[in-house]
Amino acid sequence: MKKSLIALAVMAAAGAASAQSSVTLFGIVDATISHYNAGGQHNTILTNSGYNSSRLGFRGTEDLGGGLAASFWLEAGLNNDNGSNGTTNTNNTLGGSTGGGGLTFGRRSTVSLSGGWGEVRLGRDYVPTFWNTTLFDPFGTNGVGTTIVQKAKTTTLATTLVPFATLAAPTQIAAQDPNAVRASNMIQYFLPANLGGIYGQASYAPSEVANGGRAGRFAGARLGYGAGPFNVAAAYGRTSGSGALLAGAAALQTMPDVSDWNIGGQWDFGMARLMAEYDRTKFSNGFGITPNSSLKGWLIGASVPVGPGEIRASYSREKQDVAAFSPRSSQWAVGYVHNLSKRTALYATYARLNNRGGADLAIDASLPQATAVNGGVNGNSSGLDLGIRHSF
Amino acid sequence: MKKSLIALAVMAAAGAASAQSSVTLFGIVDATISHYNAGGQHNTILTNSGYNSSRLGFRGTEDLGGGLAASFWLEAGLNNDNGSNGTTNTNNTLGGSTGGGGLTFGRRSTVSLSGGWGEVRLGRDYVPTFWNTTLFDPFGTNGVGTTIVQKAKTTTLATTLVPFATLAAPTQIAAQDPNAVRASNMIQYFLPANLGGIYGQASYAPSEVANGGRAGRFAGARLGYGAGPFNVAAAYGRTSGSGALLAGAAALQTMPDVSDWNIGGQWDFGMARLMAEYDRTKFSNGFGITPNSSLKGWLIGASVPVGPGEIRASYSREKQDVAAFSPRSSQWAVGYVHNLSKRTALYATYARLNNRGGADLAIDASLPQATAVNGGVNGNSSGLDLGIRHSF
Amino acid sequence: MKKSLIALAVMAAAGAASAQSSVTLFGIVDATISHYNAGGQHNTILTNSGYNSSRLGFRGTEDLGGGLAASFWLEAGLNNDNGSNGTTNTNNTLGGSTGGGGLTFGRRSTVSLSGGWGEVRLGRDYVPTFWNTTLFDPFGTNGVGTTIVQKAKTTTLATTLVPFATLAAPTQIAAQDPNAVRASNMIQYFLPANLGGIYGQASYAPSEVANGGRAGRFAGARLGYGAGPFNVAAAYGRTSGSGALLAGAAALQTMPDVSDWNIGGQWDFGMARLMAEYDRTKFSNGFGITPNSSLKGWLIGASVPVGPGEIRASYSREKQDVAAFSPRSSQWAVGYVHNLSKRTALYATYARLNNRGGADLAIDASLPQATAVNGGVNGNSSGLDLGIRHSF
């Protein structure tokens, strides 16, 4: 019943008595009391999505007969601590962010046609690599325990990593991946479900910034194998950047090419589920100028069911390679989720992040207070999430 | 079942056993792969609404007894290729556009009281003239095949038509109709349905830009007759502009008075449905300064059912009269819609637009890439839409 | 049946056969034709929410067994006259307003856990004092008849009250309460319902503007007693301001500390319901600089049922204390609501507001035309609302 409370079965227009269709209203409201400690300063706020991302969505499927189905999915992010909204991105570049002034279907906005041959899906959705990052993180890329692999990719490193920012102008690039989580305008193909455990997808989005331009073009793929307790998948994604990377300070706003590949997996031993991921993200200017920079990160994690609850733990590291510098960060996280029902859970997570070599990643980069919760260059920070997740 | 999947019948509070009320969640998700060819340049993107406008809405009716009913309609536009949103306009002027940062009920936002005497409807809705333009266009003003009558009215001609822009400053006006499709703040009356085929409406919106001002005031009406295979209607609308049209370049931002009238009709021969429309839109400064400018356009079109599908074709022309110049454009369009069910369809449309006499209309003026897909002054452009429309 | 038309009963995951949960889509669409008369000028517009605030919301409850329940509430404001949207505030300061570019759950956005011990509610909601202001106003703080107590609190007095604005720069403060109606980021506790008529709540929101800052911190409480025809409640709320109040003109944008307390009550005599409220709001700079300013206001009102309708009337006064000045305003209002059903009503309200001693409050401060409908300093203004309210 989870996430599908308003689901009305209606007869499909195509006709067969067994053909059924539905439209579902679904959502999650997750509120978090977060306490941060960084550089000796404390901060307590009410925020959201510490366990699962708050959302409101509408989705449905129509059985077209003969194994064919059409479906849609519109899902918006919610900041339920204050009633404001998540954003989207119209063209997959750093400058394409929009929405957030109201309910925005930036989490997913797709229409699909599927059959025995697989699924064609059109619109905004997760990119292939993000599936590995979030599925093989015991904290699911939510809250203070989010793998540092993800925290590094969604931070503008050129400004937060001091050594990077002090390089000579020609090599400065804004090292952030605009499509680290999702991309818009995608034409995707998914393998069907009956391939003996093999699953996969290919995803492509054209550049939509200007006629003939390349900025924001995205291409990626994912291939995996899951059977019984075992699951492993590898994924790749590449976003084309824009030109003009050379001209002084303003060039920091220009987007580099970003390529990302990762591999992750898990083994469910019953009494515990172990998981691991390795990720490499490379930022290059696409014009033969060196040095480029890259992020290399990995995570090991575990999830242990305990009665109606679950203990979660992870350790993750991230290192940046850029010229003679190598800023690096590490993080460990531990938490407990207590399920009051399938829909409602209470949770607590504690995480501690250490920076070395010039790094200054924050324990929660998504907050307006991020600069205040990173402990400074080579500083340490910690965070504690206490919250309630309610889904419908 | 189309467009009304979540419709729960509830007993009306007023009491009679047969009196029923409902609230409906409805929507359309239409994704389009569009290819443009203009001035030798090609461009392919994922966009939306190539066949029907993507939307999400809530509407309902309450039976009040004695033939009286109250109803509401809240309908928002969706850009489902990237999760962003349509806009609205708070005061019916060129400067009143707002929303679009999130779900915005800019397509329709009304509350109504109706009975045997007709319907009073309050709020934002289509203007009377748009009904003729969209109903008597086989492409329904969606996608590359949209009648050129509509494309011209929603383009700021003062900037896209070169001869117009080079006129002396006193006669320059921003020749765009802010209410070419919808108007806000309307008080509308609709004739009841039982008048032997006669239908009609009167629509009025006060100016809301300033105390005592006139800018954004709208008045319009529509009268039609439909019986059996025959349907014809005439409509008129007038938007009052703002003052200060004389002062140099800035005056281009000032809104002229806009009046629009049209007549359209169709005859359904069974094997084909033929339709035609004539439209005249006049931009005047309201202060006796000549020359004013006007748009004159017409369309002929046909829709031919073929098994579960439909072939569509149209030819439309548009001419601008301004001083000694007469920029003019023409367009033909052909397409096929294949219905997989009543809710889901695949479609393809091809259209080609030619500009002469200084015109530079674009094959799709709604795109950010519009300036790149018009082929330039006197240039030609073409577009191909391939897509899927799914409604719920 | 009011406000809960889409409510699907589903079995709770927790198990007991009697345990039921629901998700509800609800809303109000209220359209108002408003006529204003101020300083000899007339203005008629179509606006919204003259009787009840237009809204669209989603809410639900899950029975967790053992008397425990989880619930959520997401409610957005609608401007249904033009399809635009209400706003919210991310950090409870004058600078934290956001949203309004689309559907924004700024009216309420909460998740709760409740049991025999009461309710813990997290997120954006009404502040305690607003409950007294709106419940004990026969016009419910909607439309031209809204108590002048509320009109004064939601107006930036530093600009509308001339004497205040002409004080020396160091003592000028922007005397507006950002949390006069709601606050975000709140952690609230509500007493359970079974305390013999006693009810109450405590509400706290941390400052979220910067690490260690105090601006936007909110704390409040409400305690009441209701039994049979009698109901009385007192409430308090305090918002912490920001620093730097001294530096010239820019300091006008800085937020003072705001404290608000009020007491209200009603007695339902059957043939009439009488109500009264007293409210005192104090703006202080928190740094010992004098003079501070305060608002003192009161209301008496009555509601008289008449067949299927209701006659409403109120008289309210507001006085500002600031240095040697004492701007003051008074207002009387009378109206009639005709219920066509429990969901649909027609209404008319007339109100007249008088300013003295330098006051220039407007008959409807929520309008863009507000400056045009206040009749100027010491001026009088009146307003007439005619409308329809439809809920679902």
Side-chain angles (χ1 to χ4, degrees):
Chain A
M1 195 63 69
K2 188 180 174 187
K3 295 186 189 175
S4 60
L5 297 189
I6 296 193
L8 299 186
V10 294
M11 290 304 112
S18 64
Q20 287 194 332
S21 305
S22 68
V23 172
T24 301
L25 164 68
F26 66 98
I28 291 178
V29 182
D30 181 330
T32 317
I33 300 171
S34 292
H35 178 78
Y36 302 101
N37 187 345
Q41 287 197 304
H42 298 262
N43 199 15
T44 302
I45 64 172
L46 184 74
T47 181
N48 63 80
S49 307
Y51 177 38
N52 288 162
S53 297
S54 295
R55 71 195 68 175
L56 179 67
F58 306 88
R59 64 170 184 255
T61 298
E62 179 195 18
D63 191 322
L64 295 168
L68 206 62
S71 56
F72 77 98
W73 192 301
L74 299 168
E75 183 178 321
L78 300 178
N79 301 330
N80 49 282
D81 47 330
N82 58 41
S84 69
N85 294 275
T87 60
T88 190
N89 188 307
T90 57
N91 60 16
N92 302 329
T93 72
L94 292 173
S97 182
T98 190
L103 196 72
T104 300
F105 296 118
R107 288 184 53 84
R108 181 168 166 186
S109 172
T110 61
V111 57
S112 294
L113 196 64
S114 58
W117 41 266
E119 176 188 352
V120 171
R121 188 185 297 177
L122 304 176
R124 180 171 178 81
D125 196 6
Y126 284 145
V127 294
T129 52
F130 184 72
W131 283 110
N132 289 344
T133 303
T134 195
L135 288 177
F136 303 125
D137 174 358
F139 295 95
T141 56
N142 277 88
V144 294
T146 297
T147 172
I148 203 167
V149 171
Q150 186 64 14
K151 288 179 180 176
K153 282 201 280 188
T154 54
T155 301
T156 303
L157 297 175
T159 55
T160 61
L161 291 177
V162 169
F164 203 175
T166 57
L167 290 174
T171 57
Q172 288 183 345
I173 53 177
Q176 185 178 353
D177 183 357
N179 304 320
V181 179
R182 300 177 183 87
S184 291
N185 309 313
M186 282 200 290
I187 302 164
Q188 295 189 95
Y189 167 73
F190 290 78
L191 291 175
N194 57 357
L195 299 181
I198 294 175
Y199 57 88
Q201 70 186 94
S203 310
Y204 176 77
S207 169
E208 299 201 1
V209 291
N211 190 35
R214 63 193 283 280
R217 184 192 301 155
F218 176 83
R222 181 169 182 246
L223 191 65
Y225 175 75
F230 181 69
N231 194 357
V232 64
Y236 177 78
R238 178 181 178 82
T239 300
S240 298
S242 50
L245 292 162
L246 298 172
L252 280 170
Q253 303 307 314
T254 311
M255 194 174 80
D257 288 1
V258 186
S259 66
D260 182 10
W261 75 263
N262 59 27
I263 184 167
Q266 67 175 24
W267 194 291
D268 191 341
F269 293 95
M271 61 164 284
R273 191 164 53 98
L274 301 186
M275 54 198 86
E277 194 216 4
Y278 177 80
D279 181 283
R280 180 160 182 167
T281 300
K282 187 175 175 184
F283 302 91
S284 56
N285 50 42
F287 293 93
I289 300 160
T290 58
N292 296 320
S293 67
S294 68
L295 294 168
K296 294 175 187 169
W298 54 264
L299 165 140
I300 52 171
S303 163
V304 181
V306 181
E310 178 192 16
I311 294 173
R312 309 188 293 173
S314 74
Y315 180 76
S316 54
R317 293 185 72 106
E318 188 77 28
K319 179 186 171 193
Q320 185 180 6
D321 285 324
V322 50
F325 305 94
S326 56
R328 52 202 186 280
S329 307
S330 64
Q331 175 188 276
W332 59 266
V334 62
Y336 174 67
V337 178
H338 184 76
N339 293 301
L340 296 173
S341 72
K342 287 185 179 175
R343 295 171 52 195
T344 304
L346 304 176
Y347 60 87
T349 307
Y350 178 82
R352 184 168 178 84
L353 187 154
N354 298 302
N355 290 305
R356 285 178 298 167
D360 69 344
L361 288 182
I363 191 71
D364 190 341
S366 69
L367 296 171
Q369 297 88 346
T371 54
V373 296
N374 59 18
V377 174
N378 293 333
N380 304 325
S381 56
S382 64
L384 173 66
D385 284 346
L386 298 172
I388 178 170
R389 187 283 321 269
H390 177 65
S391 65
F392 56 95
Chain B
M1 195 63 70
K2 187 179 174 188
K3 294 188 189 174
S4 60
L5 297 189
I6 295 192
L8 299 186
V10 294
M11 290 305 112
S18 64
Q20 288 195 334
S21 304
S22 67
V23 173
T24 300
L25 164 67
F26 66 98
I28 291 178
V29 183
D30 182 329
T32 318
I33 300 171
S34 291
H35 178 79
Y36 302 102
N37 188 345
Q41 287 198 303
H42 298 262
N43 199 16
T44 302
I45 65 172
L46 184 73
T47 183
N48 64 79
S49 307
Y51 178 36
N52 288 161
S53 296
S54 295
R55 70 195 70 174
L56 179 68
F58 307 88
R59 65 170 184 255
T61 299
E62 179 195 18
D63 190 322
L64 296 167
L68 207 62
S71 56
F72 76 99
W73 193 301
L74 299 168
E75 183 177 321
L78 300 178
N79 302 329
N80 49 283
D81 47 331
N82 58 40
S84 68
N85 295 275
T87 61
T88 190
N89 188 306
T90 57
N91 61 15
N92 301 330
T93 72
L94 291 172
S97 182
T98 189
L103 197 71
T104 301
F105 297 118
R107 288 183 53 84
R108 181 168 165 186
S109 173
T110 61
V111 57
S112 293
L113 196 64
S114 59
W117 41 267
E119 176 186 351
V120 171
R121 188 184 296 177
L122 305 176
R124 181 172 177 81
D125 197 4
Y126 284 145
V127 295
T129 52
F130 184 71
W131 283 111
N132 289 344
T133 303
T134 195
L135 288 177
F136 303 126
D137 174 356
F139 295 95
T141 56
N142 278 89
V144 294
T146 296
T147 171
I148 204 167
V149 170
Q150 186 64 14
K151 288 179 179 174
K153 282 201 279 188
T154 55
T155 301
T156 303
L157 297 175
T159 55
T160 61
L161 292 177
V162 169
F164 202 175
T166 56
L167 290 174
T171 56
Q172 288 183 347
I173 52 176
Q176 186 178 352
D177 183 358
N179 304 320
V181 179
R182 300 176 183 88
S184 291
N185 309 313
M186 282 199 291
I187 302 164
Q188 295 189 96
Y189 167 72
F190 289 77
L191 291 175
N194 57 357
L195 301 181
I198 293 175
Y199 57 88
Q201 70 186 92
S203 310
Y204 176 78
S207 169
E208 299 201 359
V209 291
N211 190 35
R214 63 193 284 279
R217 184 192 301 155
F218 176 82
R222 181 170 182 247
L223 191 65
Y225 174 75
F230 181 68
N231 194 356
V232 65
Y236 177 77
R238 179 181 177 83
T239 300
S240 298
S242 50
L245 291 163
L246 298 173
L252 279 170
Q253 304 306 313
T254 310
M255 195 173 78
D257 289 2
V258 186
S259 65
D260 182 11
W261 74 265
N262 59 27
I263 183 168
Q266 67 176 22
W267 193 292
D268 192 341
F269 292 94
M271 61 163 285
R273 191 165 52 99
L274 301 186
M275 55 197 85
E277 195 216 3
Y278 177 81
D279 181 283
R280 180 159 180 168
T281 301
K282 186 175 175 185
F283 303 92
S284 56
N285 51 42
F287 293 93
I289 300 161
T290 56
N292 296 319
S293 67
S294 68
L295 294 168
K296 294 174 188 169
W298 54 264
L299 165 140
I300 53 171
S303 163
V304 181
V306 181
E310 177 192 17
I311 294 173
R312 309 188 292 173
S314 74
Y315 180 76
S316 54
R317 293 184 72 105
E318 188 77 28
K319 179 186 169 191
Q320 186 180 5
D321 285 323
V322 50
F325 304 96
S326 56
R328 52 202 185 281
S329 307
S330 63
Q331 176 187 277
W332 58 267
V334 62
Y336 174 67
V337 177
H338 185 75
N339 293 301
L340 296 172
S341 73
K342 286 184 180 175
R343 295 172 52 197
T344 304
L346 304 176
Y347 60 88
T349 307
Y350 178 81
R352 184 168 179 84
L353 187 154
N354 298 303
N355 289 305
R356 284 178 298 165
D360 68 343
L361 288 182
I363 191 70
D364 189 340
S366 69
L367 296 170
Q369 296 87 346
T371 53
V373 296
N374 59 16
V377 174
N378 293 333
N380 304 325
S381 56
S382 64
L384 174 66
D385 284 346
L386 298 173
I388 178 172
R389 187 282 322 268
H390 178 65
S391 64
F392 56 96
Chain C
M1 194 62 69
K2 189 179 172 186
K3 295 188 191 175
S4 61
L5 297 189
I6 294 192
L8 298 187
V10 295
M11 290 304 111
S18 65
Q20 287 195 333
S21 305
S22 68
V23 173
T24 300
L25 164 68
F26 65 98
I28 291 177
V29 183
D30 182 330
T32 317
I33 300 171
S34 291
H35 178 79
Y36 302 102
N37 187 344
Q41 287 197 303
H42 298 262
N43 199 16
T44 302
I45 64 172
L46 184 74
T47 182
N48 63 79
S49 306
Y51 177 37
N52 288 162
S53 297
S54 295
R55 70 195 69 174
L56 179 68
F58 307 88
R59 65 172 185 254
T61 299
E62 181 195 17
D63 190 322
L64 295 167
L68 206 61
S71 56
F72 76 98
W73 192 302
L74 300 168
E75 183 177 321
L78 300 179
N79 301 330
N80 49 282
D81 46 332
N82 58 42
S84 69
N85 294 275
T87 60
T88 189
N89 187 307
T90 58
N91 61 16
N92 301 330
T93 72
L94 291 173
S97 182
T98 190
L103 197 72
T104 300
F105 296 119
R107 287 184 54 84
R108 181 167 167 187
S109 172
T110 62
V111 57
S112 293
L113 196 63
S114 58
W117 41 265
E119 176 186 352
V120 171
R121 187 185 296 176
L122 305 176
R124 180 171 178 81
D125 196 5
Y126 283 145
V127 295
T129 51
F130 184 72
W131 283 111
N132 289 344
T133 304
T134 194
L135 287 177
F136 302 126
D137 174 357
F139 295 95
T141 57
N142 277 89
V144 294
T146 297
T147 171
I148 203 167
V149 171
Q150 186 64 14
K151 288 179 179 174
K153 283 201 280 188
T154 54
T155 300
T156 303
L157 297 175
T159 55
T160 60
L161 291 177
V162 169
F164 203 174
T166 57
L167 290 174
T171 55
Q172 287 183 347
I173 52 177
Q176 185 178 354
D177 183 357
N179 305 320
V181 179
R182 301 175 183 88
S184 290
N185 309 312
M186 282 201 291
I187 302 164
Q188 295 190 95
Y189 167 72
F190 290 77
L191 292 175
N194 57 357
L195 300 181
I198 294 174
Y199 57 89
Q201 70 186 93
S203 311
Y204 176 77
S207 169
E208 299 201 359
V209 290
N211 191 35
R214 62 193 285 279
R217 184 192 301 154
F218 175 83
R222 181 169 183 249
L223 190 65
Y225 174 75
F230 180 68
N231 194 356
V232 65
Y236 176 78
R238 178 180 177 83
T239 300
S240 298
S242 50
L245 292 163
L246 300 173
L252 279 170
Q253 304 307 313
T254 310
M255 194 174 78
D257 288 3
V258 185
S259 66
D260 182 10
W261 74 264
N262 59 27
I263 183 166
Q266 67 176 23
W267 194 292
D268 191 340
F269 292 94
M271 61 163 284
R273 190 163 53 98
L274 301 186
M275 55 197 85
E277 195 216 3
Y278 177 82
D279 181 282
R280 179 159 181 168
T281 301
K282 186 175 176 184
F283 302 92
S284 56
N285 50 42
F287 294 92
I289 300 161
T290 56
N292 295 320
S293 67
S294 68
L295 294 169
K296 293 175 188 168
W298 54 264
L299 165 139
I300 52 171
S303 163
V304 182
V306 181
E310 178 191 16
I311 293 173
R312 309 188 292 173
S314 75
Y315 180 77
S316 54
R317 294 184 71 107
E318 188 78 28
K319 178 186 170 193
Q320 185 180 7
D321 284 325
V322 50
F325 304 95
S326 56
R328 51 203 186 280
S329 308
S330 63
Q331 176 188 278
W332 57 267
V334 63
Y336 174 66
V337 178
H338 185 76
N339 293 302
L340 296 173
S341 73
K342 286 185 180 174
R343 295 171 53 197
T344 304
L346 304 176
Y347 59 89
T349 307
Y350 178 81
R352 183 168 178 84
L353 188 155
N354 298 302
N355 290 304
R356 284 178 298 166
D360 69 343
L361 288 183
I363 191 71
D364 189 341
S366 70
L367 295 172
Q369 296 87 345
T371 54
V373 296
N374 60 17
V377 175
N378 293 333
N380 304 326
S381 56
S382 63
L384 174 66
D385 284 346
L386 299 172
I388 178 171
R389 188 281 323 268
H390 177 65
S391 64
F392 56 93

